[in-house]
Amino acid sequence: MKRLKNLCLLTLAILLVSFGAAGMVTFAASDTSSSSTQNGLVEENGKLYYYKNGKLVTDKLGIKIGKSYYKISKKGVCKKVSEAAGRAGVQLEKIGRASSNSKTLKKAFKWCSTKITYKTNCGSPSSGQSDAAYYSIYGFKNKKGDCVVMAATFYQMAKVLGYNAKLVRGYIVSGYNSDGSPILASHAWVTIKISGTTYVYDPNFAYVQHTLSNNTSAHSGYKMTYTKTGSKKQYVYYSSKKKLLK
């Protein structure tokens, strides 16, 4: 009888241990399943991906993750970019991409020429920092700035869209002396070479025409050429060495 009682107790102990082990396995499996929902930056097969709420984020011209900026391909591969390029991409996402890059470029130009309020004294780049980087970051952050800021923000967005853009510093004719010689004022604009032709994009010109003069029918400052612009006496452009640009 005593032997039977011991056998029953041993059987009960085995059952309890088995039940406990089974419970721990179930919990561990549940815990593993919960942790499988990926979030944040994840490296997979040597490539970086970004998950948000367990979903892979794809096709972003710019996104801020933590303190850094990235561009994400249509397949979800993340590439770290500079702050200037990242902010430009983020702004392009905010204004919304159009059906083509050329239409998106025009939306970007409109944003630079209407959403940045004119302001002087915007500071200057730190040692080793380019004009394009400093002034574009200033513009994206403050939504204020002068001709350089307006041009730099557009330049960065054009670059993100894949255009061969250049930020140009030079002069424009602001008036004429009594002897007919031009009065030059420092200025900044962007050029983009398309199919062999260099076009001028001048957000500040558009700002002056549309905002200050309230003349929306005037030349917009978008996709001009030096020759055409100069011949119309609207904005005559000179290089940084004060050479007439044709």
Side-chain angles (χ1 to χ4, degrees), residues 113-165:
S113 60
T114 60
K115 300 303 181 183
I116 296 180
T117 305
Y118 189 81
K119 174 189 177 298
T120 57
N121 301 321
C122 302
S124 57
S126 57
S127 178
Q129 187 179 31
S130 68
D131 284 358
Y134 173 81
Y135 289 110
S136 63
I137 292 171
Y138 185 96
F140 289 128
K141 287 174 67 175
N142 300 292
K143 308 297 186 292
K144 295 179 181 179
D146 55 15
C147 61
V148 186
V149 171
M150 293 180 186
T153 53
F154 177 71
Y155 161 83
Q156 295 289 358
M157 288 196 277
K159 293 286 284 184
V160 169
L161 289 172
Y163 286 91
N164 181 23

CSV table of all heavy atoms in Angstrom, one decimal, residues 113-165:
chain,number,residue,atom,x,y,z
A,113,SER,N,9.4,79.4,-54.0
A,113,SER,CA,9.1,80.8,-54.4
A,113,SER,C,7.8,81.3,-53.7
A,113,SER,O,7.6,82.5,-53.8
A,113,SER,CB,8.9,80.9,-55.9
A,113,SER,OG,7.9,80.1,-56.4
A,114,THR,N,7.1,80.5,-53.0
A,114,THR,CA,5.9,81.0,-52.4
A,114,THR,C,5.8,80.7,-50.9
A,114,THR,O,5.1,81.5,-50.1
A,114,THR,CB,4.6,80.4,-53.0
A,114,THR,OG1,4.6,79.0,-52.9
A,114,THR,CG2,4.5,80.8,-54.5
A,115,LYS,N,6.5,79.7,-50.4
A,115,LYS,CA,6.4,79.3,-49.0
A,115,LYS,C,7.6,79.8,-48.2
A,115,LYS,O,7.6,79.7,-46.9
A,115,LYS,CB,6.3,77.8,-48.9
A,115,LYS,CG,5.0,77.2,-49.6
A,115,LYS,CD,3.8,77.8,-49.0
A,115,LYS,CE,2.5,77.2,-49.7
A,115,LYS,NZ,1.3,77.9,-49.3
A,116,ILE,N,8.6,80.3,-48.8
A,116,ILE,CA,9.7,80.9,-48.1
A,116,ILE,C,9.6,82.4,-48.1
A,116,ILE,O,9.6,83.0,-49.2
A,116,ILE,CB,11.1,80.5,-48.7
A,116,ILE,CG1,11.3,79.0,-48.6
A,116,ILE,CG2,12.2,81.2,-48.0
A,116,ILE,CD1,12.5,78.4,-49.2
A,117,THR,N,9.4,83.0,-47.0
A,117,THR,CA,9.3,84.4,-46.8
A,117,THR,C,10.6,85.1,-46.9
A,117,THR,O,11.6,84.6,-46.3
A,117,THR,CB,8.6,84.8,-45.5
A,117,THR,OG1,7.3,84.1,-45.4
A,117,THR,CG2,8.3,86.3,-45.4
A,118,TYR,N,10.7,86.2,-47.7
A,118,TYR,CA,11.9,86.9,-47.9
A,118,TYR,C,12.5,87.4,-46.5
A,118,TYR,O,11.8,88.1,-45.8
A,118,TYR,CB,11.8,88.0,-48.9
A,118,TYR,CG,13.2,88.5,-49.3
A,118,TYR,CD1,14.0,87.9,-50.2
A,118,TYR,CD2,13.7,89.7,-48.7
A,118,TYR,CE1,15.2,88.4,-50.5
A,118,TYR,CE2,14.9,90.2,-49.0
A,118,TYR,CZ,15.7,89.5,-49.9
A,118,TYR,OH,16.9,90.0,-50.3
A,119,LYS,N,13.8,87.1,-46.3
A,119,LYS,CA,14.4,87.6,-45.1
A,119,LYS,C,15.9,87.7,-45.4
A,119,LYS,O,16.5,86.8,-46.0
A,119,LYS,CB,14.2,86.6,-43.9
A,119,LYS,CG,15.0,87.0,-42.7
A,119,LYS,CD,14.9,85.8,-41.7
A,119,LYS,CE,15.7,86.1,-40.4
A,119,LYS,NZ,17.1,86.2,-40.7
A,120,THR,N,16.5,88.8,-45.0
A,120,THR,CA,18.0,88.9,-45.1
A,120,THR,C,18.7,88.5,-43.8
A,120,THR,O,18.1,88.1,-42.9
A,120,THR,CB,18.4,90.4,-45.4
A,120,THR,OG1,17.8,91.2,-44.3
A,120,THR,CG2,17.7,90.9,-46.7
A,121,ASN,N,20.0,88.6,-43.9
A,121,ASN,CA,20.8,88.2,-42.7
A,121,ASN,C,20.6,86.7,-42.2
A,121,ASN,O,20.1,86.5,-41.1
A,121,ASN,CB,20.6,89.2,-41.5
A,121,ASN,CG,21.0,90.6,-41.9
A,121,ASN,OD1,21.9,90.8,-42.6
A,121,ASN,ND2,20.1,91.5,-41.4
A,122,CYS,N,20.9,85.8,-43.1
A,122,CYS,CA,20.6,84.4,-42.8
A,122,CYS,C,21.8,83.7,-42.3
A,122,CYS,O,21.8,82.4,-42.3
A,122,CYS,CB,20.1,83.7,-44.1
A,122,CYS,SG,18.6,84.5,-44.8
A,123,GLY,N,22.8,84.4,-41.9
A,123,GLY,CA,24.0,83.7,-41.4
A,123,GLY,C,24.9,83.3,-42.6
A,123,GLY,O,24.8,83.6,-43.7
A,124,SER,N,25.9,82.4,-42.2
A,124,SER,CA,26.8,82.0,-43.3
A,124,SER,C,27.3,80.6,-42.9
A,124,SER,O,27.3,80.2,-41.7
A,124,SER,CB,28.0,82.9,-43.4
A,124,SER,OG,28.7,83.1,-42.1
A,125,PRO,N,27.8,79.8,-43.9
A,125,PRO,CA,28.2,78.4,-43.6
A,125,PRO,C,29.4,78.4,-42.6
A,125,PRO,O,30.2,79.3,-42.6
A,125,PRO,CB,28.7,77.9,-45.0
A,125,PRO,CG,28.0,78.9,-45.9
A,125,PRO,CD,27.9,80.2,-45.3
A,126,SER,N,29.5,77.3,-41.9
A,126,SER,CA,30.6,77.1,-41.0
A,126,SER,C,31.8,76.5,-41.9
A,126,SER,O,31.6,76.2,-43.0
A,126,SER,CB,30.3,76.1,-39.9
A,126,SER,OG,29.8,74.8,-40.5
A,127,SER,N,32.9,76.4,-41.3
A,127,SER,CA,34.1,76.0,-42.0
A,127,SER,C,33.9,74.6,-42.6
A,127,SER,O,33.5,73.7,-41.9
A,127,SER,CB,35.3,76.0,-41.1
A,127,SER,OG,36.5,75.5,-41.7
A,128,GLY,N,34.1,74.5,-43.9
A,128,GLY,CA,33.9,73.2,-44.6
A,128,GLY,C,32.5,72.9,-45.1
A,128,GLY,O,32.3,71.9,-45.8
A,129,GLN,N,31.6,73.8,-44.7
A,129,GLN,CA,30.2,73.6,-45.2
A,129,GLN,C,29.9,74.4,-46.4
A,129,GLN,O,30.3,75.5,-46.5
A,129,GLN,CB,29.2,74.0,-44.0
A,129,GLN,CG,27.8,73.6,-44.3
A,129,GLN,CD,26.8,74.0,-43.2
A,129,GLN,OE1,27.1,75.0,-42.5
A,129,GLN,NE2,25.8,73.2,-43.0
A,130,SER,N,29.3,73.8,-47.4
A,130,SER,CA,29.0,74.5,-48.6
A,130,SER,C,27.8,75.4,-48.5
A,130,SER,O,27.0,75.3,-47.6
A,130,SER,CB,28.7,73.5,-49.8
A,130,SER,OG,27.5,72.8,-49.5
A,131,ASP,N,27.7,76.4,-49.4
A,131,ASP,CA,26.6,77.3,-49.5
A,131,ASP,C,25.3,76.5,-49.7
A,131,ASP,O,24.3,76.8,-49.0
A,131,ASP,CB,26.7,78.3,-50.6
A,131,ASP,CG,27.7,79.4,-50.3
A,131,ASP,OD1,28.3,79.4,-49.2
A,131,ASP,OD2,27.9,80.3,-51.2
A,132,ALA,N,25.3,75.5,-50.6
A,132,ALA,CA,24.1,74.7,-50.9
A,132,ALA,C,23.6,74.0,-49.7
A,132,ALA,O,22.4,73.9,-49.5
A,132,ALA,CB,24.5,73.8,-52.0
A,133,ALA,N,24.5,73.5,-48.9
A,133,ALA,CA,24.1,72.7,-47.7
A,133,ALA,C,23.5,73.7,-46.6
A,133,ALA,O,22.4,73.5,-46.1
A,133,ALA,CB,25.3,71.9,-47.1
A,134,TYR,N,24.3,74.7,-46.3
A,134,TYR,CA,23.9,75.6,-45.2
A,134,TYR,C,22.6,76.3,-45.5
A,134,TYR,O,21.7,76.3,-44.7
A,134,TYR,CB,25.0,76.7,-44.9
A,134,TYR,CG,24.6,77.7,-43.9
A,134,TYR,CD1,24.6,77.4,-42.6
A,134,TYR,CD2,24.1,78.9,-44.3
A,134,TYR,CE1,24.1,78.4,-41.6
A,134,TYR,CE2,23.6,79.9,-43.4
A,134,TYR,CZ,23.7,79.6,-42.1
A,134,TYR,OH,23.2,80.5,-41.2
A,135,TYR,N,22.5,77.0,-46.7
A,135,TYR,CA,21.4,77.8,-46.9
A,135,TYR,C,20.1,77.0,-47.2
A,135,TYR,O,19.0,77.5,-46.9
A,135,TYR,CB,21.7,78.8,-48.1
A,135,TYR,CG,22.6,79.8,-47.7
A,135,TYR,CD1,23.9,79.8,-48.2
A,135,TYR,CD2,22.3,80.9,-46.8
A,135,TYR,CE1,24.9,80.8,-47.9
A,135,TYR,CE2,23.2,81.8,-46.4
A,135,TYR,CZ,24.5,81.8,-47.0
A,135,TYR,OH,25.4,82.8,-46.6
A,136,SER,N,20.3,75.8,-47.7
A,136,SER,CA,19.1,75.0,-47.9
A,136,SER,C,18.5,74.5,-46.6
A,136,SER,O,17.3,74.5,-46.3
A,136,SER,CB,19.4,73.8,-48.8
A,136,SER,OG,20.3,72.9,-48.2
A,137,ILE,N,19.4,74.1,-45.7
A,137,ILE,CA,19.0,73.6,-44.4
A,137,ILE,C,18.3,74.8,-43.6
A,137,ILE,O,17.3,74.6,-43.0
A,137,ILE,CB,20.2,73.1,-43.5
A,137,ILE,CG1,20.7,71.8,-44.1
A,137,ILE,CG2,19.8,72.9,-42.1
A,137,ILE,CD1,22.0,71.3,-43.5
A,138,TYR,N,18.9,76.0,-43.8
A,138,TYR,CA,18.3,77.2,-43.2
A,138,TYR,C,16.9,77.4,-43.7
A,138,TYR,O,15.9,77.7,-42.9
A,138,TYR,CB,19.1,78.4,-43.5
A,138,TYR,CG,18.7,79.7,-42.8
A,138,TYR,CD1,19.2,80.1,-41.6
A,138,TYR,CD2,17.7,80.4,-43.3
A,138,TYR,CE1,18.8,81.2,-40.9
A,138,TYR,CE2,17.2,81.6,-42.7
A,138,TYR,CZ,17.8,82.0,-41.5
A,138,TYR,OH,17.4,83.1,-40.9
A,139,GLY,N,16.7,77.3,-45.0
A,139,GLY,CA,15.4,77.5,-45.6
A,139,GLY,C,14.4,76.4,-45.2
A,139,GLY,O,13.2,76.8,-44.9
A,140,PHE,N,14.8,75.2,-45.2
A,140,PHE,CA,13.8,74.1,-44.8
A,140,PHE,C,13.4,74.2,-43.4
A,140,PHE,O,12.3,73.9,-43.0
A,140,PHE,CB,14.5,72.7,-45.1
A,140,PHE,CG,14.6,72.4,-46.6
A,140,PHE,CD1,15.8,72.0,-47.1
A,140,PHE,CD2,13.5,72.5,-47.4
A,140,PHE,CE1,16.0,71.6,-48.4
A,140,PHE,CE2,13.7,72.1,-48.8
A,140,PHE,CZ,14.9,71.7,-49.3
A,141,LYS,N,14.3,74.6,-42.5
A,141,LYS,CA,14.0,74.7,-41.1
A,141,LYS,C,13.2,76.0,-40.8
A,141,LYS,O,12.3,75.9,-39.9
A,141,LYS,CB,15.3,74.8,-40.3
A,141,LYS,CG,16.1,73.5,-40.2
A,141,LYS,CD,17.4,73.6,-39.5
A,141,LYS,CE,17.3,74.0,-38.1
A,141,LYS,NZ,18.6,74.0,-37.4
A,142,ASN,N,13.5,77.1,-41.4
A,142,ASN,CA,12.9,78.4,-41.0
A,142,ASN,C,11.8,78.9,-41.9
A,142,ASN,O,11.1,79.8,-41.5
A,142,ASN,CB,14.0,79.4,-40.8
A,142,ASN,CG,15.1,79.1,-39.8
A,142,ASN,OD1,14.8,79.1,-38.6
A,142,ASN,ND2,16.3,78.8,-40.3
A,143,LYS,N,11.7,78.3,-43.1
A,143,LYS,CA,10.8,78.8,-44.1
A,143,LYS,C,10.9,80.3,-44.4
A,143,LYS,O,10.0,81.0,-44.7
A,143,LYS,CB,9.3,78.5,-43.7
A,143,LYS,CG,9.1,77.1,-43.3
A,143,LYS,CD,9.3,76.1,-44.4
A,143,LYS,CE,8.8,74.7,-44.1
A,143,LYS,NZ,9.7,74.1,-43.1
A,144,LYS,N,12.2,80.8,-44.2
A,144,LYS,CA,12.5,82.2,-44.4
A,144,LYS,C,13.9,82.3,-45.1
A,144,LYS,O,14.7,81.4,-44.9
A,144,LYS,CB,12.5,83.0,-43.1
A,144,LYS,CG,11.2,83.1,-42.5
A,144,LYS,CD,11.3,83.9,-41.2
A,144,LYS,CE,9.9,84.0,-40.4
A,144,LYS,NZ,10.1,84.7,-39.2
A,145,GLY,N,14.1,83.3,-45.8
A,145,GLY,CA,15.5,83.5,-46.4
A,145,GLY,C,15.5,84.4,-47.6
A,145,GLY,O,14.5,84.8,-48.1
A,146,ASP,N,16.7,84.6,-48.1
A,146,ASP,CA,16.9,85.5,-49.2
A,146,ASP,C,17.0,84.7,-50.5
A,146,ASP,O,16.6,83.5,-50.5
A,146,ASP,CB,18.2,86.4,-49.0
A,146,ASP,CG,19.4,85.5,-48.8
A,146,ASP,OD1,19.4,84.3,-49.0
A,146,ASP,OD2,20.4,86.1,-48.3
A,147,CYS,N,17.5,85.3,-51.6
A,147,CYS,CA,17.6,84.7,-52.9
A,147,CYS,C,18.5,83.4,-52.8
A,147,CYS,O,18.2,82.4,-53.5
A,147,CYS,CB,18.1,85.6,-53.9
A,147,CYS,SG,19.8,86.3,-53.6
A,148,VAL,N,19.5,83.4,-52.0
A,148,VAL,CA,20.4,82.3,-51.9
A,148,VAL,C,19.7,81.1,-51.2
A,148,VAL,O,19.8,80.0,-51.7
A,148,VAL,CB,21.7,82.6,-51.1
A,148,VAL,CG1,22.6,81.4,-51.1
A,148,VAL,CG2,22.3,83.9,-51.6
A,149,VAL,N,18.9,81.4,-50.2
A,149,VAL,CA,18.1,80.4,-49.5
A,149,VAL,C,17.1,79.7,-50.4
A,149,VAL,O,16.9,78.5,-50.5
A,149,VAL,CB,17.5,80.9,-48.2
A,149,VAL,CG1,16.5,79.9,-47.6
A,149,VAL,CG2,18.5,81.3,-47.2
A,150,MET,N,16.4,80.6,-51.2
A,150,MET,CA,15.3,80.1,-52.1
A,150,MET,C,16.0,79.2,-53.2
A,150,MET,O,15.4,78.2,-53.5
A,150,MET,CB,14.6,81.3,-52.7
A,150,MET,CG,13.7,82.1,-51.7
A,150,MET,SD,12.9,83.4,-52.6
A,150,MET,CE,12.2,84.3,-51.1
A,151,ALA,N,17.1,79.7,-53.7
A,151,ALA,CA,17.8,78.9,-54.7
A,151,ALA,C,18.3,77.6,-54.2
A,151,ALA,O,18.2,76.5,-54.8
A,151,ALA,CB,18.9,79.7,-55.4
A,152,ALA,N,18.9,77.6,-53.0
A,152,ALA,CA,19.5,76.5,-52.4
A,152,ALA,C,18.5,75.4,-52.1
A,152,ALA,O,18.8,74.2,-52.3
A,152,ALA,CB,20.3,76.8,-51.2
A,153,THR,N,17.3,75.7,-51.6
A,153,THR,CA,16.3,74.7,-51.3
A,153,THR,C,15.8,74.1,-52.6
A,153,THR,O,15.7,72.9,-52.7
A,153,THR,CB,15.1,75.4,-50.6
A,153,THR,OG1,14.6,76.5,-51.3
A,153,THR,CG2,15.5,75.8,-49.2
A,154,PHE,N,15.7,74.9,-53.7
A,154,PHE,CA,15.2,74.3,-54.9
A,154,PHE,C,16.3,73.4,-55.5
A,154,PHE,O,16.1,72.3,-56.1
A,154,PHE,CB,14.9,75.4,-55.9
A,154,PHE,CG,14.5,74.9,-57.3
A,154,PHE,CD1,13.3,74.2,-57.5
A,154,PHE,CD2,15.4,75.0,-58.4
A,154,PHE,CE1,13.0,73.7,-58.7
A,154,PHE,CE2,15.0,74.5,-59.6
A,154,PHE,CZ,13.9,73.9,-59.8
A,155,TYR,N,17.6,73.9,-55.4
A,155,TYR,CA,18.7,73.1,-55.9
A,155,TYR,C,18.7,71.7,-55.2
A,155,TYR,O,18.9,70.7,-55.9
A,155,TYR,CB,20.0,73.8,-55.6
A,155,TYR,CG,21.2,73.0,-55.6
A,155,TYR,CD1,21.9,72.7,-56.8
A,155,TYR,CD2,21.8,72.4,-54.4
A,155,TYR,CE1,23.0,71.9,-56.8
A,155,TYR,CE2,22.9,71.6,-54.4
A,155,TYR,CZ,23.5,71.4,-55.6
A,155,TYR,OH,24.7,70.6,-55.6
A,156,GLN,N,18.6,71.6,-53.9
A,156,GLN,CA,18.6,70.4,-53.2
A,156,GLN,C,17.5,69.4,-53.7
A,156,GLN,O,17.7,68.2,-53.9
A,156,GLN,CB,18.5,70.6,-51.7
A,156,GLN,CG,19.7,71.3,-51.1
A,156,GLN,CD,21.0,70.5,-51.1
A,156,GLN,OE1,21.0,69.3,-51.5
A,156,GLN,NE2,22.1,71.0,-50.7
A,157,MET,N,16.3,70.0,-53.8
A,157,MET,CA,15.1,69.2,-54.3
A,157,MET,C,15.3,68.7,-55.7
A,157,MET,O,15.0,67.5,-56.0
A,157,MET,CB,13.8,69.9,-54.1
A,157,MET,CG,13.4,70.1,-52.6
A,157,MET,SD,11.7,70.6,-52.4
A,157,MET,CE,11.8,72.4,-52.6
A,158,ALA,N,15.9,69.5,-56.6
A,158,ALA,CA,16.2,69.1,-57.9
A,158,ALA,C,17.2,68.0,-58.0
A,158,ALA,O,17.0,67.0,-58.7
A,158,ALA,CB,16.7,70.3,-58.7
A,159,LYS,N,18.2,68.0,-57.1
A,159,LYS,CA,19.2,67.0,-57.0
A,159,LYS,C,18.6,65.7,-56.6
A,159,LYS,O,18.9,64.6,-57.1
A,159,LYS,CB,20.3,67.4,-56.1
A,159,LYS,CG,21.2,68.6,-56.6
A,159,LYS,CD,22.1,68.2,-57.7
A,159,LYS,CE,23.3,67.4,-57.2
A,159,LYS,NZ,24.3,67.2,-58.3
A,160,VAL,N,17.7,65.8,-55.6
A,160,VAL,CA,17.1,64.5,-55.1
A,160,VAL,C,16.2,63.9,-56.1
A,160,VAL,O,16.2,62.7,-56.2
A,160,VAL,CB,16.2,64.9,-53.8
A,160,VAL,CG1,15.3,63.7,-53.5
A,160,VAL,CG2,17.1,65.3,-52.6
A,161,LEU,N,15.6,64.7,-57.0
A,161,LEU,CA,14.8,64.2,-58.1
A,161,LEU,C,15.7,63.6,-59.3
A,161,LEU,O,15.2,63.1,-60.2
A,161,LEU,CB,13.9,65.3,-58.6
A,161,LEU,CG,12.7,65.6,-57.7
A,161,LEU,CD1,12.0,66.8,-58.2
A,161,LEU,CD2,11.8,64.5,-57.5
A,162,GLY,N,17.0,63.8,-59.2
A,162,GLY,CA,17.9,63.3,-60.2
A,162,GLY,C,18.4,64.2,-61.2
A,162,GLY,O,19.0,63.8,-62.2
A,163,TYR,N,18.1,65.5,-61.1
A,163,TYR,CA,18.5,66.5,-62.1
A,163,TYR,C,19.9,67.0,-61.9
A,163,TYR,O,20.4,67.0,-60.7
A,163,TYR,CB,17.5,67.7,-62.0
A,163,TYR,CG,16.2,67.5,-62.6
A,163,TYR,CD1,15.1,67.0,-61.8
A,163,TYR,CD2,15.9,67.7,-64.0
A,163,TYR,CE1,13.9,66.8,-62.4
A,163,TYR,CE2,14.7,67.4,-64.5
A,163,TYR,CZ,13.7,67.0,-63.7
A,163,TYR,OH,12.4,66.7,-64.2
A,164,ASN,N,20.6,67.3,-63.0
A,164,ASN,CA,21.9,67.8,-62.9
A,164,ASN,C,21.9,69.3,-62.6
A,164,ASN,O,22.1,70.1,-63.5
A,164,ASN,CB,22.6,67.5,-64.3
A,164,ASN,CG,24.1,68.0,-64.3
A,164,ASN,OD1,24.7,68.1,-63.2
A,164,ASN,ND2,24.6,68.3,-65.4
A,165,ALA,N,21.6,69.6,-61.4
A,165,ALA,CA,21.4,71.0,-61.0
A,165,ALA,C,22.7,71.7,-60.5
A,165,ALA,O,23.5,71.0,-59.9
A,165,ALA,CB,20.3,71.1,-60.0
